Amino acid sequence: MPRASTRPTSRDVAREAGVSQAAVSLVLGDKWRGRVSETTAERVREAARTLGYRPNLAARNLRLGRTRTVLLVVPALTTEFFAGVYTGAARVASRHGFGVVLYPSPEGIGPARDPFASAQAALDGVIASSMAAEALTAIRGDQLPLVMLDSDPAAAGTTVNLDIADGVRQVAEHLLGLGHRHFLHLGADVPSWTFEVRARELESRLGRVPGTSLRTARSPISIKGAEAAAETALASGNRVTAVVCDDDQLAAGVYKAARRLGLRVPADLSVTGMDDLALATAIDPELTTVRLDAELFGERGMQALLAVLNGEQPSATGIPVHLEVRGSTTRVP
């Protein structure tokens, strides 16, 4: 047992666990599977915990030519969704000895200031949301190993996507099943593949049912902006019984617009959202919305980048989403 003032080494861990230093290196480098037993691996991990051993990351990174740092580029952190993405990505990263630097792009899109001048040299790879894709040019992150979230698989290299089209399908089938035929789509005024998919899928689903009508209004992703856009659209005189929103914040804006116009949710107007933020159950009535698992999204993004860094092909399977039916939707009046 080394003195308390001496930093434990891999040799100390090997002695404590009764194994070779090579075995310690394999286990702590997460390369032990198929080379040492599970029992041995756990013994090494326990010895490292007991001794308080921490690998010399600087020396290892210099040897491997890696910094073990990943940049996560997201829109401005105006909702908890991207905080969840970060949490999931960081959870997986930590298990593999990586750190995650968060880089929010101001106002959701467009390049922010370069977070550090030598970004390329300081990073192993980048995970980026399509809504913040332009920010990549500011840091030249598109020249690093890259995984895009919520992005067109035909345009990007490696992508990880939520099954947004299926979420819109679930919303359309739910509202059509309640007898709704006259719809307003309150879309996010953001140039992004994910919002294009939502608009296209909604139009396709509703277009298959005779007698339906669909109007579209655009809004910035904010409650205030959505209130103004929805009030203008709903006051136009054209009949609408259901509003499909691209985001829960937009749905909250619709609630406020409806109240100003003397409309009741859901008695006069059914409303749906997308994301299932905390906001969805804070408003009254609680919002029917599509739950997007932000943490799982971040986990899958990080797993995909780790696969790319290891020269492997990540899975292209979409992440399932689920419609949470609550009090904001009911049968057509």
Side-chain angles (χ1 to χ4, degrees):
M1 192 81 177
R3 295 193 311 274
S5 59
T6 303
R7 178 174 175 167
T9 67
S10 61
R11 182 177 299 172
D12 297 321
V13 175
R15 187 183 301 114
E16 178 79 11
V19 300
S20 67
Q21 278 186 265
V24 171
S25 179
L26 288 171
V27 173
L28 298 184
D30 201 28
K31 298 179 180 178
W32 60 272
R33 292 171 183 80
R35 305 171 81 171
V36 302
S37 69
E38 172 69 51
T39 302
T40 299
E42 182 52 38
R43 198 160 70 242
V44 169
R45 287 191 289 263
E46 180 59 32
R49 285 192 292 268
T50 300
L51 296 174
Y53 172 75
R54 293 184 179 86
N56 187 334
L57 295 179
R60 182 177 67 180
N61 293 343
L62 183 63
R63 185 171 64 253
L64 297 177
R66 285 186 175 182
T67 65
R68 303 187 79 80
T69 302
V70 169
L71 192 68
L72 174 61
V73 184
V74 300
L77 297 176
T78 52
T79 75
E80 74 262 27
F81 180 80
F82 286 104
V85 172
Y86 171 80
T87 299
R91 180 185 301 126
V92 172
S94 67
R95 292 202 294 261
H96 295 269
F98 277 75
V100 178
V101 176
L102 185 63
Y103 178 42
S105 178
E107 299 179 9
I109 58 173
R113 292 184 181 275
D114 190 338
F116 33 84
S118 55
Q120 279 187 280
L123 299 170
D124 283 335
V126 176
I127 305 171
S129 159
S130 64
M131 285 191 288
E134 291 181 31
L136 293 175
T137 60
I139 58 168
R140 302 175 67 82
D142 53 348
Q143 298 181 27
L144 288 161
L146 174 66
V147 169
M148 293 296 298
L149 307 179
D150 254 355
S151 298
D152 186 354
T158 301
T159 58
V160 174
N161 288 320
L162 295 153
D163 196 348
I164 292 295
D166 186 60
V168 175
R169 176 195 64 77
Q170 293 178 50
V171 167
E173 290 184 355
H174 172 66
L175 292 172
L176 289 167
L178 292 172
H180 292 279
R181 294 297 182 268
H182 302 289
F183 297 84
L184 171 66
H185 175 211
L186 189 60
D189 189 15
V190 176
S192 172
W193 173 83
T194 185
F195 294 124
E196 293 170 3
V197 168
R198 297 172 204 208
R200 191 165 57 241
E201 187 67 18
L202 183 62
E203 182 179 8
S204 172
R205 291 287 170 180
L206 299 184
R208 301 174 191 179
V209 179
T212 60
S213 65
L214 173 64
R215 296 163 50 217
T216 300
R218 297 289 177 186
S219 167
I221 303 180
S222 71
I223 295 175
K224 184 176 180 180
E227 180 182 3
E231 185 172 356
T232 298
L234 293 171
S236 67
N238 295 322
R239 187 184 179 203
V240 169
T241 64
V243 184
V244 178
C245 301
D246 275 353
D247 179 271
D248 291 350
Q249 290 187 84
L250 301 188
V254 173
Y255 274 44
K256 298 186 74 173
R259 189 174 299 115
R260 287 171 63 91
L261 295 170
L263 299 172
R264 298 163 299 166
V265 177
D268 303 311
L269 192 69
S270 286
V271 181
T272 66
M274 182 81 70
D275 278 351
D276 199 20
L277 307 175
L279 173 67
T281 53
I283 55 180
D284 185 31
E286 294 186 356
L287 181 65
T288 295
T289 187
V290 177
R291 183 172 188 272
L292 310 180
D293 192 331
E295 291 192 19
L296 179 59
F297 198 22
E299 288 181 1
R300 293 281 181 87
M302 189 67 213
Q303 288 166 353
L305 183 57
L306 290 172
V308 170
L309 292 173
N310 289 328
E312 301 167 0
Q313 183 64 40
S315 169
T317 306
I319 300 171
V321 302
H322 176 68
L323 179 67
E324 299 287 348
V325 178
R326 301 192 179 104
S328 68
T329 52
T330 191
R331 296 201 65 82
V332 69

